[in-house]
Amino acid sequence: MITPTVTATLASVTPTTTFSSARSSSFASTSPTTSTSPTTSTSPTTSSSIVTHSPSSSPTITPSSTLTPSTTVTPAPKPSETAKRNGQPGTGSGSTSSCNDVQPWQSNLAYSAGAQVIFKNQLWTATQWNYNNNPDSAAGAWTLNGACNPPINNKVDCTGVPGWSQSTAYPGGSKVTFNGHLWISTQWTQSNSPGDTSGTWKDLGVCQ
């Protein structure tokens, strides 16, 4: 019996792989290089220098002279408040007048222009007809003549004048005595006593 001898010879095959340029270009780098750290300047440079100006000199002001008033001004006396209210010049207490035979102002009585009265020891003259308006309250109705010169002699002679009687009718111009004064009626009147609010009697003064 013949036994064949088979000897296997293993060839050594070394594969050679050649990559063409076209092929190799397909294997490009897939890991791109990306810069993820941008450089940003967050600290701006600002010039903060302050220029200081120093004055070269400090001016000094020296007054050249001293003003001294050469005169003294003396204010003129003020007019009285009543005179100012009535538009009168400052006569007031600086001027005096004789008040003899002039009677004090009387309430509830009509005064014609030119009538004179004594009010607060001053002489006043009515500039127009007015009723129950004293010199203080009636602007323009009275003119101030000045302060009364003392003593004031305005008492009247009541000799022979009858006393007032309530039952008697008195025509205008009638004279009576009442409470030590001499009175004259300004119109016809009866039962109105002298000095009441009717204004029908005018006081002529205190009896001597």
Side-chain angles (χ1 to χ4, degrees):
M1 178 176 182
I2 301 170
T3 304
T5 301
V6 179
T7 301
T9 302
L10 297 175
S12 178
V13 179
T14 301
T16 301
T17 304
T18 302
F19 295 96
S20 63
S21 61
R23 183 72 174 176
S24 61
S25 61
S26 64
F27 291 91
S29 174
T30 59
S31 300
T33 301
T34 305
S35 176
T36 59
S37 300
T39 302
T40 305
S41 175
T42 59
S43 301
T45 302
T46 303
S47 175
S48 60
S49 299
I50 299 175
V51 179
T52 304
H53 296 280
S54 299
S56 58
S57 61
S58 299
T60 302
I61 301 174
T62 304
S64 59
S65 61
T66 302
L67 299 179
T68 303
S70 58
T71 59
T72 302
V73 179
T74 302
K78 295 182 179 180
S80 65
E81 291 300 320
T82 305
K84 288 191 292 184
R85 282 196 297 271
N86 291 280
Q88 302 303 319
T91 52
S93 59
S95 178
T96 58
S97 299
S98 173
C99 297
N100 292 337
D101 300 325
V102 180
Q103 301 304 317
W105 176 83
Q106 179 183 335
S107 62
N108 302 308
L109 186 67
Y111 289 96
S112 301
Q116 289 189 315
V117 297
I118 297 173
F119 187 76
K120 293 183 177 179
N121 203 39
Q122 292 175 318
L123 179 64
W124 297 83
T125 301
T127 59
Q128 61 189 37
W129 185 94
N130 67 87
Y131 174 77
N132 203 29
N133 293 318
N134 66 51
D136 269 349
S137 64
W142 296 92
T143 297
L144 175 61
N145 302 116
C148 292
N149 284 327
I152 300 173
N153 182 16
N154 57 359
K155 292 184 177 181
V156 293
D157 185 6
C158 298
T159 303
V161 180
W164 173 80
S165 172
Q166 184 177 9
S167 60
T168 303
Y170 296 96
S174 301
K175 291 183 178 181
V176 297
T177 56
F178 184 76
N179 289 341
H181 285 241
L182 178 64
W183 300 82
I184 185 170
S185 60
T186 59
Q187 62 186 50
W188 185 94
T189 180
Q190 184 178 16
S191 74
N192 291 318
S193 63
D196 66 5
T197 59
S198 66
T200 56
W201 293 96
K202 180 180 179 180
D203 187 2
L204 296 180
V206 178
C207 295
Q208 292 180 346

